[in-house]
Amino acid sequence: MKANRLTRCLSVCGLILFFLALSGIDLSSRAIPQHWTISLSIFPTAITFPSADPDLVPVIAANTPVQIQVTTWPPNRPWQLTIRAEGNLVSSSGQVIPINTISWRATSNPPFRDGVLAAGQSLVLAESRGDRSSDLNFSFQNSWNYVAGNYSQVITFTASLL
């Protein structure tokens, strides 16, 4: 008796799956979850701006470019990359320099964009599909108005699949 019910259930289930397949519903995209991934590589994770006389060097280039690489799976998935300065530049003694004195130029423009950091704001750095990379060349607007010292701030990069 149990075997007969199981056989009947399998026959009905088989008919339902067959009907759905014939009706044009794509079971692969709805019934089975896709495993999409995005990877973000950043090197180096810290940069510095050397000291300089503002009269002689009004714009100071960072010591090295920041290399960014975005990789997706499947390979052609659309994505967005944002950059966010968590605040202004702050020294250990409490001196502050506005973060908007730091800008960048992207070597792969487009899809990467040039820009200026803004405290507490996520800015779109790039939008594209698949694997992309760029060097970001950061620079600092030097001024006699800033007290010399070591300043720091956290910059967050966020990569999202669209």
Side-chain angles (χ1 to χ4, degrees):
M1 180 84 163
K2 288 183 183 178
N4 194 12
R5 278 191 236 171
L6 181 59
T7 305
R8 209 175 329 162
C9 178
L10 289 175
S11 298
V12 171
C13 291
L15 287 174
I16 291 171
L17 289 176
F18 179 72
F19 174 73
L20 290 175
L22 290 178
S23 66
I25 296 175
D26 183 3
L27 292 175
S28 64
S29 65
R30 294 193 178 135
I32 301 170
Q34 298 291 327
H35 295 284
W36 297 325
T37 60
I38 186 165
S39 299
L40 177 61
S41 298
I42 302 170
F43 183 81
T45 56
I47 57 172
T48 59
F49 298 94
S51 297
D53 180 327
D55 291 332
L56 299 176
V57 186
V59 178
I60 302 172
N63 62 322
T64 185
V66 175
Q67 300 168 353
I68 303 284
Q69 182 173 0
V70 177
T71 307
T72 64
W73 183 258
N76 203 27
R77 285 292 299 165
W79 53 265
Q80 182 181 69
L81 178 62
T82 60
I83 184 171
R84 176 185 173 93
E86 299 304 328
N88 290 311
L89 296 167
V90 181
S91 72
S92 59
S93 63
Q95 297 293 322
V96 175
I97 296 175
I99 197 72
N100 65 2
T101 59
I102 297 179
S103 60
W104 73 88
R105 293 215 178 265
T107 57
S108 297
N109 186 344
F112 289 83
R113 302 173 186 172
D114 300 340
V116 176
L117 292 174
Q121 294 182 13
S122 294
L123 307 170
V124 175
L125 176 57
E127 289 180 305
S128 191
R129 291 180 162 272
D131 301 351
R132 300 279 187 220
S133 62
S134 183
D135 285 349
L136 303 182
N137 297 291
F138 286 90
S139 59
F140 169 70
Q141 294 292 320
N142 203 2
S143 172
W144 285 113
N145 295 328
Y146 307 137
V147 177
N150 292 320
Y151 293 76
S152 63
Q153 188 48 254
V154 173
I155 307 298
T156 304
F157 294 86
T158 304
S160 305
L161 288 171
L162 301 178

